[in-house]
Amino acid sequence: LEEFFEAIPEGSLEQNSINTMKTHENHLLRLLGGKRFLGALSNADLQDYIQKRSKEPGIRGRNVSATTIRKEITTLRNAWNW
C-alpha cells in the first residue's frame, strides 16, 4: 500500500483525504497482516477483516459502522486497481 500512496499525483487529492486513506491503511495492515501481498488476499480474508473490524469499538460507544468499513475496503480496492 505504501507504493500506492507514493504514486498519488500531488494535488490530485486533498491532504485530509490522503490522511483518511492512511488511517484505513493502518487498520487494513493491522488486521490483514503487514507482510501480505495484495494479490494473495482471498474473499475469505476480506470477510474475516469485515467481521473483525465490525466488532471493534468506534466512536460514541458504538462499534465501527458498516459505512466506515466500506470506505476502508474502497481504499484497499483503489490500491488493488492501481
Side-chain angles (χ1 to χ4, degrees):
L1 289 174
E2 195 173 305
E3 293 170 345
F4 167 70
F5 286 105
E6 292 172 0
I8 295 173
E10 192 169 326
S12 65
L13 292 173
E14 291 184 15
Q15 189 59 46
N16 188 47
S17 296
I18 294 171
N19 292 344
T20 300
M21 290 170 66
K22 286 189 177 270
T23 299
H24 296 167
E25 173 191 31
N26 291 336
H27 293 299
L28 290 159
L29 293 175
R30 178 173 54 83
L31 293 175
L32 291 173
K35 299 189 186 289
R36 306 265 317 255
F37 179 65
L38 279 179
L41 293 176
S42 68
N43 288 340
D45 293 326
L46 295 177
Q47 188 60 47
D48 186 50
Y49 173 82
I50 291 166
Q51 289 176 338
K52 287 179 183 176
R53 192 73 175 108
S54 67
K55 294 176 184 170
E56 292 187 332
I59 59 173
R60 298 182 196 94
R62 292 179 271 183
N63 288 351
V64 174
S65 73
T67 302
T68 298
I69 296 168
R70 192 174 308 118
K71 290 176 183 178
E72 293 171 353
I73 297 298
T74 298
T75 297
L76 178 63
R77 184 181 67 224
N78 288 334
W80 179 294
N81 289 337
W82 170 78

Short mmCIF file of all heavy atoms in Angstrom, two decimals, residues 13-52:
data_model
loop_
_atom_site.label_atom_id
_atom_site.label_comp_id
_atom_site.label_asym_id
_atom_site.label_seq_id
_atom_site.Cartn_x
_atom_site.Cartn_y
_atom_site.Cartn_z
N LEU A 13 -5.58 14.89 -4.74
CA LEU A 13 -6.48 14.68 -3.60
C LEU A 13 -6.14 15.67 -2.51
O LEU A 13 -4.98 16.07 -2.35
CB LEU A 13 -6.31 13.26 -3.04
CG LEU A 13 -6.76 12.09 -3.88
CD1 LEU A 13 -6.36 10.78 -3.22
CD2 LEU A 13 -8.27 12.12 -4.07
N GLU A 14 -7.15 16.04 -1.73
CA GLU A 14 -6.90 16.90 -0.58
C GLU A 14 -6.12 16.11 0.46
O GLU A 14 -6.25 14.90 0.57
CB GLU A 14 -8.22 17.37 0.02
CG GLU A 14 -8.99 18.33 -0.86
CD GLU A 14 -10.23 18.84 -0.19
OE1 GLU A 14 -10.37 18.68 1.05
OE2 GLU A 14 -11.07 19.40 -0.90
N GLN A 15 -5.31 16.82 1.22
CA GLN A 15 -4.48 16.16 2.23
C GLN A 15 -5.35 15.42 3.24
O GLN A 15 -4.99 14.34 3.70
CB GLN A 15 -3.58 17.18 2.93
CG GLN A 15 -2.55 16.54 3.85
CD GLN A 15 -1.62 15.58 3.13
OE1 GLN A 15 -1.10 15.87 2.06
NE2 GLN A 15 -1.41 14.40 3.70
N ASN A 16 -6.51 15.97 3.57
CA ASN A 16 -7.40 15.30 4.51
C ASN A 16 -7.84 13.94 3.97
O ASN A 16 -7.93 12.97 4.73
CB ASN A 16 -8.62 16.19 4.79
CG ASN A 16 -9.48 15.63 5.89
OD1 ASN A 16 -9.00 15.23 6.94
ND2 ASN A 16 -10.78 15.59 5.65
N SER A 17 -8.10 13.84 2.68
CA SER A 17 -8.48 12.56 2.07
C SER A 17 -7.34 11.56 2.14
O SER A 17 -7.56 10.38 2.46
CB SER A 17 -8.89 12.77 0.61
OG SER A 17 -10.03 13.57 0.52
N ILE A 18 -6.15 12.02 1.88
CA ILE A 18 -4.97 11.14 1.95
C ILE A 18 -4.77 10.66 3.39
O ILE A 18 -4.50 9.48 3.63
CB ILE A 18 -3.72 11.85 1.40
CG1 ILE A 18 -3.90 12.09 -0.10
CG2 ILE A 18 -2.46 11.04 1.69
CD1 ILE A 18 -2.83 12.96 -0.73
N ASN A 19 -4.93 11.57 4.36
CA ASN A 19 -4.77 11.19 5.77
C ASN A 19 -5.81 10.14 6.17
O ASN A 19 -5.49 9.19 6.88
CB ASN A 19 -4.89 12.41 6.67
CG ASN A 19 -3.73 13.37 6.50
OD1 ASN A 19 -2.70 13.03 5.94
ND2 ASN A 19 -3.91 14.59 6.97
N THR A 20 -7.04 10.30 5.70
CA THR A 20 -8.09 9.33 6.00
C THR A 20 -7.75 7.98 5.39
O THR A 20 -7.90 6.93 6.03
CB THR A 20 -9.46 9.82 5.48
OG1 THR A 20 -9.76 11.07 6.11
CG2 THR A 20 -10.55 8.82 5.74
N MET A 21 -7.26 7.99 4.15
CA MET A 21 -6.87 6.74 3.49
C MET A 21 -5.71 6.07 4.21
O MET A 21 -5.65 4.84 4.29
CB MET A 21 -6.53 7.01 2.03
CG MET A 21 -7.75 7.38 1.19
SD MET A 21 -7.35 7.98 -0.45
CE MET A 21 -6.63 6.52 -1.20
N LYS A 22 -4.80 6.85 4.77
CA LYS A 22 -3.68 6.28 5.52
C LYS A 22 -4.17 5.65 6.83
O LYS A 22 -3.64 4.64 7.28
CB LYS A 22 -2.61 7.32 5.77
CG LYS A 22 -1.81 7.63 4.50
CD LYS A 22 -0.62 8.51 4.80
CE LYS A 22 0.17 8.74 3.55
NZ LYS A 22 1.20 7.73 3.34
N THR A 23 -5.21 6.25 7.43
CA THR A 23 -5.82 5.64 8.61
C THR A 23 -6.43 4.30 8.23
O THR A 23 -6.27 3.30 8.95
CB THR A 23 -6.90 6.57 9.21
OG1 THR A 23 -6.28 7.79 9.61
CG2 THR A 23 -7.59 5.94 10.40
N HIS A 24 -7.12 4.26 7.09
CA HIS A 24 -7.67 3.00 6.59
C HIS A 24 -6.54 1.98 6.40
O HIS A 24 -6.68 0.81 6.75
CB HIS A 24 -8.39 3.20 5.25
CG HIS A 24 -9.59 4.08 5.34
ND1 HIS A 24 -10.21 4.58 4.22
CD2 HIS A 24 -10.30 4.55 6.39
CE1 HIS A 24 -11.23 5.32 4.58
NE2 HIS A 24 -11.31 5.32 5.90
N GLU A 25 -5.45 2.44 5.82
CA GLU A 25 -4.30 1.56 5.59
C GLU A 25 -3.83 0.95 6.90
O GLU A 25 -3.55 -0.26 6.96
CB GLU A 25 -3.16 2.35 4.94
CG GLU A 25 -1.88 1.56 4.82
CD GLU A 25 -0.67 2.41 4.43
OE1 GLU A 25 -0.61 3.60 4.80
OE2 GLU A 25 0.22 1.86 3.77
N ASN A 26 -3.75 1.75 7.95
CA ASN A 26 -3.28 1.24 9.25
C ASN A 26 -4.19 0.13 9.76
O ASN A 26 -3.71 -0.89 10.27
CB ASN A 26 -3.19 2.37 10.27
CG ASN A 26 -2.08 3.34 9.95
OD1 ASN A 26 -1.11 3.00 9.28
ND2 ASN A 26 -2.22 4.57 10.41
N HIS A 27 -5.50 0.31 9.63
CA HIS A 27 -6.44 -0.73 10.07
C HIS A 27 -6.29 -1.98 9.21
O HIS A 27 -6.29 -3.10 9.72
CB HIS A 27 -7.88 -0.22 10.01
CG HIS A 27 -8.18 0.85 11.00
ND1 HIS A 27 -8.07 0.68 12.37
CD2 HIS A 27 -8.60 2.12 10.83
CE1 HIS A 27 -8.40 1.79 12.98
NE2 HIS A 27 -8.72 2.69 12.06
N LEU A 28 -6.18 -1.80 7.90
CA LEU A 28 -6.03 -2.94 7.00
C LEU A 28 -4.77 -3.73 7.32
O LEU A 28 -4.81 -4.96 7.41
CB LEU A 28 -6.01 -2.46 5.54
CG LEU A 28 -7.35 -1.93 5.01
CD1 LEU A 28 -7.12 -1.04 3.79
CD2 LEU A 28 -8.27 -3.09 4.67
N LEU A 29 -3.66 -3.04 7.49
CA LEU A 29 -2.40 -3.72 7.78
C LEU A 29 -2.45 -4.42 9.13
O LEU A 29 -1.93 -5.53 9.29
CB LEU A 29 -1.23 -2.74 7.72
CG LEU A 29 -0.90 -2.17 6.34
CD1 LEU A 29 0.19 -1.12 6.45
CD2 LEU A 29 -0.51 -3.27 5.38
N ARG A 30 -3.06 -3.78 10.10
CA ARG A 30 -3.14 -4.34 11.45
C ARG A 30 -3.94 -5.65 11.45
O ARG A 30 -3.52 -6.63 12.07
CB ARG A 30 -3.79 -3.32 12.39
CG ARG A 30 -3.98 -3.78 13.81
CD ARG A 30 -4.49 -2.66 14.70
NE ARG A 30 -5.68 -2.01 14.21
CZ ARG A 30 -6.92 -2.47 14.40
NH1 ARG A 30 -7.11 -3.60 15.05
NH2 ARG A 30 -7.97 -1.80 13.93
N LEU A 31 -5.05 -5.68 10.73
CA LEU A 31 -5.91 -6.86 10.77
C LEU A 31 -5.59 -7.90 9.70
O LEU A 31 -5.83 -9.09 9.90
CB LEU A 31 -7.38 -6.45 10.68
CG LEU A 31 -7.90 -5.66 11.89
CD1 LEU A 31 -9.32 -5.20 11.66
CD2 LEU A 31 -7.80 -6.49 13.16
N LEU A 32 -5.08 -7.47 8.56
CA LEU A 32 -4.75 -8.42 7.49
C LEU A 32 -3.31 -8.92 7.58
O LEU A 32 -2.97 -9.94 7.01
CB LEU A 32 -4.97 -7.78 6.11
CG LEU A 32 -6.41 -7.49 5.72
CD1 LEU A 32 -6.45 -6.72 4.41
CD2 LEU A 32 -7.21 -8.78 5.61
N GLY A 33 -2.47 -8.16 8.26
CA GLY A 33 -1.06 -8.51 8.35
C GLY A 33 -0.25 -7.67 7.38
O GLY A 33 -0.61 -7.57 6.21
N GLY A 34 0.79 -7.05 7.86
CA GLY A 34 1.57 -6.12 7.07
C GLY A 34 2.44 -6.75 6.00
O GLY A 34 2.90 -6.08 5.10
N LYS A 35 2.66 -8.04 6.08
CA LYS A 35 3.57 -8.69 5.13
C LYS A 35 2.82 -9.44 4.04
O LYS A 35 3.41 -10.21 3.30
CB LYS A 35 4.50 -9.62 5.89
CG LYS A 35 5.37 -8.90 6.90
CD LYS A 35 6.42 -9.80 7.46
CE LYS A 35 7.20 -9.14 8.56
NZ LYS A 35 8.08 -8.12 8.17
N ARG A 36 1.53 -9.19 3.92
CA ARG A 36 0.73 -9.89 2.92
C ARG A 36 0.78 -9.15 1.59
O ARG A 36 0.75 -7.94 1.54
CB ARG A 36 -0.73 -9.98 3.37
CG ARG A 36 -0.95 -10.57 4.73
CD ARG A 36 -1.26 -12.04 4.77
NE ARG A 36 -2.16 -12.54 3.81
CZ ARG A 36 -3.41 -12.90 4.06
NH1 ARG A 36 -3.93 -12.72 5.25
NH2 ARG A 36 -4.14 -13.42 3.11
N PHE A 37 0.83 -9.89 0.52
CA PHE A 37 0.79 -9.34 -0.83
C PHE A 37 -0.67 -9.16 -1.21
O PHE A 37 -1.50 -10.05 -1.00
CB PHE A 37 1.50 -10.30 -1.78
CG PHE A 37 1.51 -9.86 -3.21
CD1 PHE A 37 2.19 -8.72 -3.58
CD2 PHE A 37 0.84 -10.58 -4.17
CE1 PHE A 37 2.20 -8.31 -4.91
CE2 PHE A 37 0.84 -10.18 -5.49
CZ PHE A 37 1.53 -9.03 -5.86
N LEU A 38 -1.02 -7.99 -1.74
CA LEU A 38 -2.42 -7.71 -2.09
C LEU A 38 -3.03 -8.80 -2.96
O LEU A 38 -4.18 -9.20 -2.77
CB LEU A 38 -2.53 -6.37 -2.81
CG LEU A 38 -2.55 -5.11 -1.97
CD1 LEU A 38 -2.64 -3.88 -2.85
CD2 LEU A 38 -3.67 -5.13 -0.97
N GLY A 39 -2.27 -9.28 -3.92
CA GLY A 39 -2.77 -10.30 -4.83
C GLY A 39 -3.06 -11.64 -4.16
O GLY A 39 -3.74 -12.48 -4.74
N ALA A 40 -2.55 -11.82 -2.95
CA ALA A 40 -2.75 -13.09 -2.25
C ALA A 40 -3.99 -13.08 -1.37
O ALA A 40 -4.33 -14.10 -0.77
CB ALA A 40 -1.52 -13.41 -1.40
N LEU A 41 -4.68 -11.95 -1.29
CA LEU A 41 -5.88 -11.87 -0.45
C LEU A 41 -7.03 -12.62 -1.10
O LEU A 41 -7.26 -12.52 -2.30
CB LEU A 41 -6.28 -10.41 -0.23
CG LEU A 41 -5.33 -9.55 0.59
CD1 LEU A 41 -5.83 -8.11 0.65
CD2 LEU A 41 -5.16 -10.12 1.99
N SER A 42 -7.76 -13.34 -0.29
CA SER A 42 -8.92 -14.08 -0.78
C SER A 42 -10.20 -13.42 -0.28
O SER A 42 -10.16 -12.54 0.59
CB SER A 42 -8.86 -15.52 -0.29
OG SER A 42 -9.05 -15.55 1.12
N ASN A 43 -11.32 -13.87 -0.81
CA ASN A 43 -12.61 -13.38 -0.32
C ASN A 43 -12.77 -13.69 1.16
O ASN A 43 -13.33 -12.88 1.91
CB ASN A 43 -13.76 -14.01 -1.11
CG ASN A 43 -13.85 -13.47 -2.51
OD1 ASN A 43 -13.34 -12.40 -2.82
ND2 ASN A 43 -14.50 -14.22 -3.38
N ALA A 44 -12.27 -14.83 1.58
CA ALA A 44 -12.36 -15.20 3.00
C ALA A 44 -11.54 -14.25 3.87
O ALA A 44 -11.97 -13.89 4.97
CB ALA A 44 -11.87 -16.64 3.19
N ASP A 45 -10.38 -13.80 3.37
CA ASP A 45 -9.56 -12.83 4.11
C ASP A 45 -10.33 -11.53 4.29
O ASP A 45 -10.32 -10.93 5.38
CB ASP A 45 -8.25 -12.53 3.37
CG ASP A 45 -7.32 -13.72 3.32
OD1 ASP A 45 -7.30 -14.51 4.29
OD2 ASP A 45 -6.61 -13.87 2.30
N LEU A 46 -10.98 -11.07 3.22
CA LEU A 46 -11.73 -9.83 3.30
C LEU A 46 -12.94 -9.96 4.22
O LEU A 46 -13.22 -9.05 5.00
CB LEU A 46 -12.17 -9.38 1.90
CG LEU A 46 -11.04 -9.01 0.95
CD1 LEU A 46 -11.60 -8.65 -0.41
CD2 LEU A 46 -10.20 -7.88 1.51
N GLN A 47 -13.62 -11.09 4.16
CA GLN A 47 -14.77 -11.30 5.05
C GLN A 47 -14.31 -11.35 6.49
O GLN A 47 -14.97 -10.81 7.39
CB GLN A 47 -15.51 -12.58 4.66
CG GLN A 47 -16.82 -12.74 5.42
CD GLN A 47 -17.78 -11.60 5.17
OE1 GLN A 47 -18.00 -11.20 4.04
NE2 GLN A 47 -18.35 -11.08 6.24
N ASP A 48 -13.17 -11.98 6.75
CA ASP A 48 -12.62 -12.03 8.09
C ASP A 48 -12.29 -10.63 8.59
O ASP A 48 -12.57 -10.29 9.74
CB ASP A 48 -11.37 -12.93 8.10
CG ASP A 48 -10.81 -13.14 9.49
OD1 ASP A 48 -11.59 -13.51 10.39
OD2 ASP A 48 -9.59 -12.95 9.67
N TYR A 49 -11.72 -9.81 7.71
CA TYR A 49 -11.41 -8.42 8.06
C TYR A 49 -12.69 -7.68 8.45
O TYR A 49 -12.75 -7.00 9.47
CB TYR A 49 -10.74 -7.70 6.88
CG TYR A 49 -10.56 -6.23 7.12
CD1 TYR A 49 -9.47 -5.76 7.86
CD2 TYR A 49 -11.47 -5.30 6.65
CE1 TYR A 49 -9.32 -4.42 8.11
CE2 TYR A 49 -11.33 -3.95 6.90
CZ TYR A 49 -10.24 -3.52 7.63
OH TYR A 49 -10.09 -2.18 7.90
N ILE A 50 -13.73 -7.83 7.63
CA ILE A 50 -15.00 -7.15 7.89
C ILE A 50 -15.58 -7.58 9.23
O ILE A 50 -16.03 -6.74 10.02
CB ILE A 50 -15.99 -7.42 6.73
CG1 ILE A 50 -15.51 -6.71 5.46
CG2 ILE A 50 -17.40 -6.99 7.10
CD1 ILE A 50 -16.20 -7.16 4.19
N GLN A 51 -15.54 -8.86 9.51
CA GLN A 51 -16.09 -9.36 10.78
C GLN A 51 -15.31 -8.84 11.97
O GLN A 51 -15.89 -8.42 12.97
CB GLN A 51 -16.15 -10.88 10.77
CG GLN A 51 -17.22 -11.41 9.84
CD GLN A 51 -17.23 -12.92 9.74
OE1 GLN A 51 -16.23 -13.58 10.03
NE2 GLN A 51 -18.36 -13.46 9.31
N LYS A 52 -13.98 -8.87 11.89
CA LYS A 52 -13.15 -8.37 12.99
C LYS A 52 -13.36 -6.88 13.19
O LYS A 52 -13.51 -6.41 14.32
CB LYS A 52 -11.67 -8.65 12.72
CG LYS A 52 -11.27 -10.09 12.87
CD LYS A 52 -9.80 -10.25 12.55
CE LYS A 52 -9.36 -11.70 12.62
NZ LYS A 52 -7.95 -11.86 12.21
#
